[in-house]
Amino acid sequence: MTDLIPLTGEPLVLDLVNTRTADGDLLTAPADLGRWLTLEAERFPEAAELAGADLGTDDVAAVREVRAHAANAVEAARHAEVPSAADLDALTRAQRAAPAVLELAWDGAAVTATRRRAGPPGRRLAAWLAEAAAEFLADPAVSRVRRCAADDCVLLFLPAHPRRRWCSPTRCGNRVRVARHYRRHRA
């Protein structure tokens, strides 16, 4: 992973897609994936557990495959185009590779239900991320996804405010404003 800190806080699938930046891929090795999962630990149930798992290159490849198909599908959907059947099928296959069940337990006062997936860590992780992609693609909000307006940025975001133009006001927004100020006040 480069020194660049991944953009987080967007819907989980956008956080995943945003690990592929203009500067390169932030998920190239198992350690990179573990660090990203640590950043996302509060976002989905098994992230913390999987971040500590013995992740391998196959696990990184599975996540990167989900990311590629999710990125293609989101790009099509945000432009009101039909995502390719191959991308949708790949996301469905990733979910089927590690089926989820609601595990029931008694906590002393009530029955609790916890969603669990079976299988090796990479398949479970790919399934969680593919499920997040599927839920987002089915959400009408996907049509509001925007690409950052900074010339050298490829990150996506879901604006909470209609005038939002940058992936992050402190990242790209500040760079664009400083450059604009410099151009105006240059001798």
Side-chain angles (χ1 to χ4, degrees):
M1 189 178 280
T2 67
D3 292 337
L4 183 64
I5 298 170
L7 181 66
T8 58
E10 295 297 330
L12 183 59
V13 68
L14 295 183
D15 281 2
L16 175 64
V17 169
N18 287 337
T19 60
R20 183 100 175 128
T21 71
D23 295 330
D25 193 341
L26 302 180
L27 299 179
T28 58
D32 299 337
L33 181 56
R35 283 191 292 271
W36 182 74
L37 286 171
T38 300
L39 290 173
E40 299 287 351
E42 294 179 10
R43 304 293 299 283
F44 66 104
E46 289 188 346
E49 174 191 333
L50 292 170
D54 188 23
L55 299 169
T57 55
D58 290 345
D59 303 324
V60 175
V63 169
R64 288 174 66 167
E65 182 177 353
V66 167
R67 178 184 64 189
H69 292 292
N72 292 340
V74 167
E75 190 63 23
R78 79 184 195 92
H79 291 295
E81 298 170 0
V82 178
S84 80
D87 290 325
L88 299 179
D89 290 345
L91 293 171
T92 301
R93 275 194 316 278
Q95 291 177 76
R96 285 186 182 139
V101 297
L102 287 177
E103 187 177 275
L104 300 173
W106 178 257
D107 71 359
V111 173
T112 61
T114 306
R115 184 176 214 125
R116 300 264 187 234
R117 290 194 179 271
R123 282 193 186 156
R124 291 193 336 249
L125 178 55
W128 279 110
L129 295 171
E131 184 176 288
E135 289 172 352
F136 189 69
L137 288 165
D139 187 331
V142 73
S143 66
R144 294 193 337 260
V145 170
R146 293 187 189 165
R147 184 168 305 282
C148 183
D151 291 337
D152 60 345
C153 187
V154 298
L155 301 184
L156 300 175
F157 62 92
L158 183 63
H161 187 280
R163 292 182 56 198
R164 182 176 170 193
R165 299 179 51 211
W166 302 295
C167 62
S168 166
T170 57
R171 195 179 250 175
C172 290
N174 193 46
R175 284 186 302 127
V176 169
R177 286 188 296 272
V178 167
R180 188 172 47 218
H181 176 81
Y182 177 76
R183 280 192 307 273
R184 279 194 309 243
H185 294 90
R186 203 167 83 184

